[in-house]
């Protein structure tokens, strides 16, 4: 029996090594972007994991979970996942729907008669789709809560007497407090504590590193958390008690646990197909307008023209992203131990996801035609004509990268840059500023033309603000004796 187990272990290790080799070039590009961003934002530590077609192809920690003790981030380091807690809670909600224990169309007072009745009926569906009218945070809420709320019912006291912001179903208002109320409904409907309900869900999903962010409990391998400081760069955050916000933003997890969960949303029978559709279909308001928000999932069309389900979370102490491209079966999770002055947004997360969803992006036999230094002419965000330089080099592993210097608004910036795709004479490159900048260039001998932009489109909705429109860019190669 031991021999069989040993052979199985060797086989599994071999499979993992094959997968790692298969995605070596893609991982190299993704790592370049993550490390460049980390350096520019003085990020203490972060963690990333990617699954493709049910296989974990990349999992890595960067930097430190504890700056003072120089403790490195590992793949087991636990981070605050902020509002990515919502899709995690949605998995438990989906199971209750499958089991017939909760009817999302019923008045929540059916399950929770103690909650103060409002002017309009609120359903569980309204809560999960953020169309209930229950408020989000406001100026009355402290940035760092220190009060302990022992139960989810206790946490309702923060907002239960507040009036609704609108008639449920008529508007979209992202509301973490709506998810706190949802957790109380789930607790009553399941006839078990919300804490047990979620733990049972994590056990069933194999999320061994996921837990509540209990404020007064020693939690193994939990990262320390940091905020921005002008002189120090990063300093420890003040004490924070997340007990008022568990279902909507109070869990700890790892990138590996989150991609496993995301993969099971699209590739397992943990939930039935009908419930999966309910969770990931956007809500239509009373007037027929789409909210682009499902039950704990943002939804839309990605830059590849296919579906995307995603959710992000941002606190002063953390940034979290969970992205699913269901048709390509790619799941990505990104976590960091600060959210202050970070600028790692949905576009950055989806750009890295695209690397694993696209076909291999650079034809190396064409790379030699674009390698070198280029004088560029472009227009800044303030519509001022400006010049600069593009440098492209090819490393020994075949990665095409470099830097670009130009005036973006009022300041000249120099950004590290990676080429993600090169097809014939058309190139897509991503620069880190620390926000990502996309460059789409078409080469013709020793010249190129194209456009650059900060692409905030993560749902298939065109950017309306003209300030962020695409700017034209042209370039001419700087010839030397070597390439004359």
């Amino acid at each position: 029996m031991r021999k069989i187990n040993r052979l199985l272990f060797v086989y599994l290790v071999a499979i993992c090594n094959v997968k790692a080799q298969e995605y070596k070039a893609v991982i190299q590009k993704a790592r370049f972007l993550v490390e460049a961003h980390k350096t520019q934002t003085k990020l203490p530590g972060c963690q990333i994991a990617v699954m493709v077609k049910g296989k974990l192809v990349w999992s890595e920690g960067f930097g430190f979970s504890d700056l003072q003790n120089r403790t490195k981030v590992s793949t087991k380091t636990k981070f605050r996942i902020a509002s990515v807690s919502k899709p995690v809670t949605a998995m438990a909600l989906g199971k209750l729907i499958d089991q017939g224990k909760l009817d999302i169309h019923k008045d929540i007072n059916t399950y929770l008669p103690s909650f103060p009745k409002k002017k309009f009926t609120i359903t569980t569906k309204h809560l999960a789709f953020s169309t209930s009218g229950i408020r989000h945070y406001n100026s009355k809420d402290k940035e760092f809560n220190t009060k302990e709320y022992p139960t989810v019912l206790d946490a309702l006291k923060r907002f239960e007497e507040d009036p609704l912001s609108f008639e449920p179903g008529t508007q979209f208002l992202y509301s973490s407090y709506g998810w706190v109320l949802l957790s109380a409904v789930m607790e009553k409907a399941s006839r078990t504590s919300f804490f047990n309900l979620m733990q049972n869900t994590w056990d069933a999903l194999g999320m061994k590193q996921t837990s509540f962010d209990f404020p007064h409990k020693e939690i193994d391998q939990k990262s320390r958390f940091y905020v921005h400081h002008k002189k120090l760069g990063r300093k420890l955050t003040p004490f924070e008690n997340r007990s008022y916000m568990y279902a909507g933003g109070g869990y700890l997890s790892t990138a590996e646990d989150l991609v496993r969960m995301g993969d099971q949303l699209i590739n397992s029978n943990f939930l039935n197909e009908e419930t999966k559709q309910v969770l990931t279909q956007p809500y239509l308001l009373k007037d027929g307008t789409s909210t682009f928000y499902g039950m704990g999932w943002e939804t839309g069309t990605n830059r590849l023209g296919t579906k995307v389900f995603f959710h992000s979370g941002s606190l002063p102490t953390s940034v979290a992203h969970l992205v699913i491209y269901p048709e390509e079966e790619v799941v990505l999770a990104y976590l960091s131990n600060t959210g202050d002055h970070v600028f790692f947004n949905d576009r950055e997360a989806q750009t890295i996801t695209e690397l694993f969803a696209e076909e291999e992006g650079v034809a190396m036999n064409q790379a030699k035609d674009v390698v070198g230094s280029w004088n560029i002419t472009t227009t800044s965000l303030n519509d001022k004509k400006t010049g600069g330089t593009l440098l492209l080099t090819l490393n020994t592993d075949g990665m095409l990268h470099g830097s670009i210097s130009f005036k973006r608004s009022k300041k000249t910036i120099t950004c590290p840059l990676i080429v993600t795709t090169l097809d014939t004479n058309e190139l897509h490159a991503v620069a880190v500023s620390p926000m990502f900048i996309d460059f789409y260039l078409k080469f013709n001998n020793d010249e190129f033309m194209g456009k650059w932009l900060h692409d905030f489109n993560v749902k298939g909705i065109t950017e309306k603000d003209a300030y962020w429109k695409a700017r034209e860019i042209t370039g001419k190669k700087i010839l030397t004796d070597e390439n004359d």
Side-chain angles (χ1 to χ4, degrees):
M1 181 62 73
R2 287 183 180 178
K3 185 176 181 179
I4 293 173
N5 289 338
R6 190 180 302 114
L7 289 172
L8 178 59
F9 174 76
V10 170
Y11 172 76
L12 292 174
V13 169
I15 290 294
C16 291
N17 287 336
V18 168
K19 285 294 176 184
Q21 284 298 114
E22 183 181 343
Y23 290 93
K24 181 180 178 181
V26 176
I27 292 169
Q28 187 178 209
K29 295 175 194 175
R31 187 182 289 119
F32 180 98
L33 294 173
V34 171
E35 289 182 332
H37 178 271
K38 177 183 175 299
T39 299
Q40 291 186 29
T41 55
K42 295 181 173 60
L43 200 70
C46 62
Q47 189 185 73
I48 193 164
V50 178
M51 289 192 82
V52 182
K53 299 186 186 303
K55 303 293 184 182
L56 183 68
V57 300
W58 186 32
S59 180
E60 188 170 354
F62 298 82
F64 298 98
S65 61
D66 184 334
L67 288 174
Q68 182 179 3
N69 295 303
R70 310 302 285 177
T71 305
K72 291 185 178 181
V73 173
S74 75
T75 58
K76 303 301 181 186
T77 302
K78 299 179 179 70
F79 291 81
R80 286 176 175 160
I81 65 171
S83 284
V84 174
S85 300
K86 294 179 177 67
V88 175
T89 302
M91 295 296 278
L93 173 62
K95 202 66 175 177
L96 292 179
I97 295 170
D98 279 355
Q99 295 168 342
K101 294 181 178 179
L102 198 160
D103 185 340
I104 62 173
H105 302 286
K106 284 187 176 180
D107 186 332
I108 62 168
N109 289 114
T110 304
Y111 302 100
L112 194 64
S114 62
F115 187 75
K117 285 188 175 294
K118 304 299 179 183
K119 182 178 179 181
F120 301 101
T121 296
I122 305 171
T123 67
T124 301
K125 184 175 181 179
H126 290 140
L127 295 175
F129 281 97
S130 280
T131 59
S132 66
I134 296 291
R135 73 171 178 90
H136 191 46
Y137 312 129
N138 62 25
S139 57
K140 294 191 300 183
D141 302 310
K142 294 181 179 179
E143 185 175 35
F144 295 101
N145 173 66
T146 57
K147 185 175 179 179
E148 173 75 14
Y149 294 90
T151 70
V152 294
L153 290 176
D154 291 327
L156 302 182
K157 296 173 184 176
R158 291 174 67 98
F159 60 88
E160 64 182 0
E161 297 298 336
D162 295 348
L164 295 182
S165 300
F166 49 79
E167 179 184 351
T170 63
Q171 296 182 45
F172 174 83
L173 175 65
Y174 183 79
S175 172
S176 289
Y177 285 143
W179 281 78
V180 176
L181 179 53
L182 176 61
S183 69
V185 173
M186 292 168 65
E187 183 173 85
K188 293 298 183 181
S190 64
R191 298 184 179 181
T192 186
S193 78
F194 184 69
F195 301 100
N196 288 339
L197 176 65
M198 291 310 304
Q199 188 59 61
N200 292 339
T201 301
W202 297 329
D203 290 344
L205 290 168
M207 299 173 71
K208 297 179 180 180
Q209 307 299 321
T210 303
S211 69
F212 290 88
D213 187 6
F214 292 121
H216 303 296
K217 182 178 178 181
E218 192 69 29
I219 298 175
D220 186 42
Q221 299 192 68
K222 176 182 174 180
S223 177
R224 304 190 83 176
F225 299 98
Y226 299 88
V227 291
H228 175 74
H229 189 274
K230 286 185 178 180
K231 293 183 179 180
L232 300 177
R234 295 292 173 184
K235 69 172 186 177
L236 277 172
T237 186
F239 170 78
E240 183 176 19
N241 187 321
R242 303 291 296 166
S243 62
Y244 72 104
M245 183 46 59
Y246 283 134
Y251 303 146
L252 298 171
S253 192
T254 63
E256 283 191 12
D257 266 14
L258 291 175
V259 294
R260 286 193 187 97
M261 186 201 83
D263 182 70
Q264 289 188 73
L265 176 68
I266 59 173
N267 283 330
S268 82
N269 58 2
F270 179 79
L271 300 177
N272 69 44
E273 290 302 319
E274 183 180 351
T275 301
K276 291 178 185 180
Q277 289 292 318
V278 171
L279 262 61
T280 57
Q281 289 297 312
Y283 187 93
L284 296 180
L285 298 174
K286 199 171 183 178
D287 64 2
T289 303
S290 174
T291 63
F292 292 93
Y293 197 86
M295 294 175 67
W297 289 98
E298 295 194 60
T299 66
T301 302
N302 58 45
R303 290 197 295 197
L304 305 182
T306 57
K307 290 180 181 179
V308 58
F309 311 141
F310 66 102
H311 212 292
S312 60
S314 180
L315 299 168
T317 58
S318 64
V319 163
H321 292 277
L322 179 56
V323 183
I324 302 177
Y325 284 15
E327 294 175 40
E328 294 83 1
E329 297 181 63
V330 177
V331 187
L332 173 143
Y334 170 94
L335 303 171
S336 71
N337 54 10
T338 186
D340 198 7
H341 283 64
V342 169
F343 314 113
F344 195 94
N345 303 316
D346 292 318
R347 166 46 54 210
E348 283 68 34
Q350 287 197 29
T351 293
I352 294 176
T353 307
E354 285 170 12
L355 295 175
F356 292 86
E358 293 176 310
E359 295 295 324
E360 178 54 37
V362 175
M364 286 304 123
N365 61 329
Q366 298 165 8
K368 58 182 175 56
D369 297 327
V370 301
V371 165
S373 298
W374 303 75
N375 285 324
I376 65 172
T377 302
T378 185
T379 306
S380 72
L381 289 173
N382 291 327
D383 291 325
K384 303 293 184 181
K385 193 171 182 179
T386 180
T389 305
L390 169 66
L391 174 66
L392 291 173
T393 61
L394 191 65
N395 72 8
T396 55
D397 291 328
M399 183 172 72
L400 190 56
H401 65 102
S403 64
I404 189 164
S405 298
F406 70 110
K407 186 173 285 186
R408 180 173 50 182
S409 50
K410 296 180 179 180
K411 183 179 179 182
T412 298
I413 60 172
T414 299
C415 307
L417 171 147
I418 188 80
V419 175
T420 63
T421 58
L422 175 59
D423 183 11
T424 312
N425 62 343
E426 294 188 7
L427 171 154
H428 176 216
V430 178
V432 183
S433 73
M435 290 189 297
F436 290 0
I437 310 173
D438 288 284
F439 292 84
Y440 298 92
L441 310 179
K442 187 171 184 178
F443 288 79
N444 184 14
N445 296 322
D446 294 330
E447 296 182 348
F448 70 74
M449 62 185 299
K451 62 181 181 178
W452 71 270
L453 74 159
H454 287 284
D455 187 357
F456 301 121
N457 183 353
V458 293
K459 296 182 180 179
I461 307 171
T462 304
E463 174 62 53
K464 294 180 180 179
D465 189 343
Y467 182 76
W468 300 108
K469 67 185 179 184
R471 263 68 180 185
E472 290 185 358
I473 182 172
T474 59
K476 190 169 184 179
K477 199 165 195 176
I478 302 173
L479 297 177
T480 65
D481 291 339
E482 187 176 325
N483 56 25
D484 274 345

